[in-house]
Amino acid sequence: MPSTRVEISDTAVSPDHFIGGKRVSSPATFEVRSPLDWDWHLADVARGDPLTADQAVSAAVDAFPGWASLTSKQRAEPLHRLADLIDANVGMLARIECVDMAMLLESLEARVIHRGAENFRNYADLAVSYQSRHWSSKGTDNHVERMPAGPAVVITPWNAPWLLSTWKLAPALAAGNTVILKPAEWAPLSASLLADLATEAGLPPGVLNIVQGIGEEVGAALVSDRRVRRISFTGSPETARHIGVAAGRNIVPFTAELGGKGPLVVFADSDLAAAAMKAAGQYDDSGQTCLAGTRLLVEESVSTEFLELFYEHTNAHVLGDSRDPRTTVSPLIHPDHLARVEGFVERARRHGDRVLRGGERWKQDGLWYEPTLIEPLGNDSEIVQREVFGPVLTYQTFADEKEAVALANSTSYGLSGIVYTGSEERAERVARGIRAGTIWVNTYLVRDLTAPFGGIGISGIGREGGDYALDFHSDLKTIQISQGTVS
Ligand code: NAD
């Protein structure tokens, strides 16, 4: 029996799973509150268990032959309709995402929700434009084809639930796989709205299933199911280790988009004002961004000038309710996460790292934390080496390019890096020298959907984006046909 929908910010949101095209409840629920006001109880959401996981995988298995047998063009039709429905419902989707996980409403409305529509549109078209490879060699005609791989499990984190769900679902569906999405328990609501829109778009039942619940419970059951043929995960390295074990046991390919500790390198020859503004911009979304440049590395000779500009921009930040257009820094997602961020800063203080700015909660009755800058005692300080995932940046200086690259490469992460320089030659050298999946030079967060995306080291395994994601969600088959004699 489905539960009654919950009215949140003028929208009726289902707190249930979405399995085989139907809403399905669970005997147990978990509580979802708004980071904008922790007393605001948003919903009691269905808490899936291994039985729920089994039901959802069964629905995806049943729907797979029908969906996989369609042409890419036929699959593109409902995906395009879904994209159009997303664009037509931006206001509702943005409001729910905002109250659920506190991303700034203005950027949700202007960019983030539309990007979800773009993900579906792009992948629908990219799958249609796929050309199988043909060539002749050694007396045979060779063909390489993509085949849908089977039911896929997609697991997403809380920091960009809408964006990352659509980014991962679109290639899986366009490639012909059926999917079970498990959104993060701290921000599960926008996924529920996506299920409504997918139904309206005419996606056949069982092609997209959404299972709500706790990662260690229903998430672990999903990734352990032997019928699952792909796992696409975004989250922390700790969880990836568990999922990797399950994937290894069943010999299932998985991609893992994990944490980051990106360097933001500023050379003396750069446009310092632009670099300082971008550095202060790393506090956007309260630093809960995997791609953020959280380690500021600045050439010694311009340190004083850079810091002055950086403080100017940082002091201009407005902490507040994410629905208020004046706000630039939102609250953190959850009291446990706030405590985690506080823990990092307290340990840094005890270790002898110097807090240059911030280092406290903004006010006692909310989930905001002051934009914080810390000068570490040494490069091996925990605050430099571990992802905080909050509004906490570190500050270090370097003498020359060699030292800058060495510092940039001195953590176990390798997701992204940002470089500011006025020299094209240096830009090329440094971009090549930094070990990371994505490097931005004199810019940040500009990303073409067809470019590969992923991490090095503990930042991840595999690549998503463009054809890379479609290849991941397919089984590639080589067919060789003799051109003459039958042997
Ligand atoms: P998390 O690893 O705690 O949880 C991510 C998801 O995994 C959630 O849906 C959770 O329920 C699920 N999960 C937890 N344990 C599981 C298990 N044993 N089996 C299956 N599923 C399980 O991560 P989080 O705290 O939600 O997100 C923050 C992390 O995500 C940060 O490290 C951040 O850098 C990373 N992240 C990476 C990217 C990227 O593209 N590289 C993007 C966003 C966030």
Side-chain angles (χ1 to χ4, degrees):
M1 273 288 287
S3 322
T4 321
R5 285 185 176 247
V6 187
E7 191 72 16
I8 304 168
S9 295
D10 301 328
T11 300
V13 184
S14 169
D16 290 334
H17 315 292
F18 179 69
I19 298 175
K22 295 196 176 77
R23 292 292 177 176
V24 176
S25 65
S26 274
T29 56
F30 64 96
E31 204 176 50
V32 178
R33 290 172 176 272
S34 175
L36 301 180
D37 171 1
W38 202 246
D39 290 332
W40 186 3
H41 172 266
L42 296 174
D44 290 317
V45 172
R47 182 169 179 155
D49 55 21
L51 200 66
T52 325
D54 181 70
Q55 259 181 294
V57 177
S58 297
V61 167
D62 291 347
F64 178 69
W67 185 244
S69 68
L70 298 180
T71 62
S72 302
K73 213 166 169 200
Q74 289 168 321
R75 284 194 290 266
E77 287 171 20
L79 297 179
H80 269 282
R81 281 198 295 274
L82 179 55
D84 294 344
L85 283 165
I86 290 168
D87 280 338
N89 285 282
V90 166
M92 165 191 83
L93 293 162
R95 275 197 312 277
I96 294 300
E97 185 89 325
C98 177
V99 300
D100 198 20
M101 49 74 67
M103 194 178 276
L104 298 179
L105 184 63
E106 211 171 33
S107 77
L108 282 163
E109 285 174 342
R111 289 179 300 279
V112 178
I113 302 296
H114 287 295
R115 182 76 176 213
E118 279 310 293
N119 286 334
F120 285 110
R121 240 173 238 128
N122 265 290
Y123 274 106
D125 292 345
L126 205 59
V128 169
S129 68
Y130 173 71
Q131 306 276 332
S132 63
R133 255 185 86 202
H134 301 278
W135 76 101
S136 295
S137 74
K138 296 183 179 167
T140 59
D141 288 329
N142 298 263
H143 310 274
V144 176
E145 310 275 350
R146 275 183 186 152
M147 297 183 303
V153 165
V154 166
I155 299 192
T156 48
W158 50 259
N159 71 312
W162 172 261
L163 198 68
L164 291 169
S165 301
T166 56
W167 164 248
K168 294 168 98 63
L169 290 174
L173 294 169
N177 296 341
T178 51
V179 185
I180 307 108
L181 166 69
K182 211 300 277 170
E185 52 268 45
W186 281 359
L189 300 181
S190 59
S192 184
L193 299 178
L194 185 65
D196 295 335
L197 298 182
T199 306
E200 202 179 330
L203 218 60
V207 168
L208 169 64
N209 305 277
I210 295 172
V211 165
Q212 302 285 12
I214 312 301
E216 293 79 356
E217 298 171 4
V218 75
L222 283 170
V223 297
S224 304
D225 193 305
R226 285 167 168 259
R227 295 169 296 172
V228 166
R229 297 320 307 153
R230 289 293 184 275
I231 301 169
S232 169
F233 170 71
T234 299
S236 63
E238 293 71 31
T239 305
R241 290 188 177 99
H242 292 290
I243 294 179
V245 170
R249 209 177 282 129
N250 294 341
I251 322 278
V252 175
F254 87 116
T255 49
E257 304 288 353
L258 309 177
K261 193 75 192 175
L264 192 163
V265 189
V266 181
F267 287 96
D269 61 9
S270 67
D271 178 338
L272 274 193
M277 187 167 82
K278 204 57 87 178
Q282 305 304 306
Y283 294 123
D284 292 358
D285 290 320
S286 263
Q288 301 170 124
T289 306
C290 56
L291 295 165
T294 52
R295 291 181 294 136
L296 306 187
L297 305 176
V298 178
E299 193 159 351
E300 260 162 28
S301 58
V302 291
S303 174
T304 310
E305 196 186 336
F306 172 85
L307 275 178
E308 265 173 31
L309 291 162
F310 171 79
Y311 287 140
E312 215 175 278
H313 288 293
T314 302
N315 293 340
H317 270 306
V318 179
L319 283 68
D321 190 310
S322 310
R323 292 166 295 181
D324 185 335
R326 287 166 302 183
T327 299
T328 61
V329 177
S330 54
L332 295 166
I333 179 85
H334 193 282
D336 290 355
H337 189 54
L338 175 61
R340 184 174 177 274
V341 171
E342 283 186 302
F344 270 108
V345 177
E346 283 321 305
R347 287 194 298 282
R349 276 201 177 96
R350 284 204 298 277
H351 176 257
D353 303 326
R354 208 154 65 95
V355 177
L356 300 179
R357 189 196 190 280
E360 304 291 339
R361 284 179 181 212
W362 179 49
K363 42 183 196 173
Q364 289 311 310
D365 62 348
L367 300 182
W368 289 266
Y369 197 81
E370 285 275 4
T372 295
L373 187 67
I374 297 181
E375 187 175 37
L377 195 58
N379 195 51
D380 57 355
S381 293
E382 182 196 43
I383 202 74
V384 177
Q385 294 297 326
R386 285 190 58 202
E387 182 187 47
V388 178
F389 220 50
V392 178
L393 308 181
T394 56
Y395 187 75
Q396 293 167 278
T397 55
F398 60 84
D400 55 25
E401 195 179 301
K402 195 167 164 226
E403 193 186 4
V405 173
L407 282 171
N409 288 337
S410 66
T411 74
S412 315
Y413 296 92
L415 189 61
S416 59
I418 309 166
V419 180
Y420 274 82
T421 175
S423 151
E424 271 181 38
E425 295 77 32
R426 193 203 295 279
E428 284 204 16
R429 274 196 310 271
V430 175
R432 290 223 168 81
I434 298 178
R435 282 180 52 75
T438 301
I439 305 285
W440 285 286
V441 179
N442 297 331
T443 186
Y444 171 57
L445 277 192
V446 184
R447 198 141 71 77
D448 186 291
L449 291 177
T450 60
F453 176 76
I456 292 173
I458 64 166
S459 288
I461 298 176
R463 290 292 178 271
E464 295 188 332
D467 277 329
Y468 304 88
L470 290 173
D471 280 347
F472 169 74
H473 280 289
S474 309
D475 283 321
L476 294 185
K477 179 194 280 183
T478 306
I479 302 169
Q480 288 162 303
I481 302 173
S482 170
Q483 288 170 334
T485 52
V486 178
S487 57

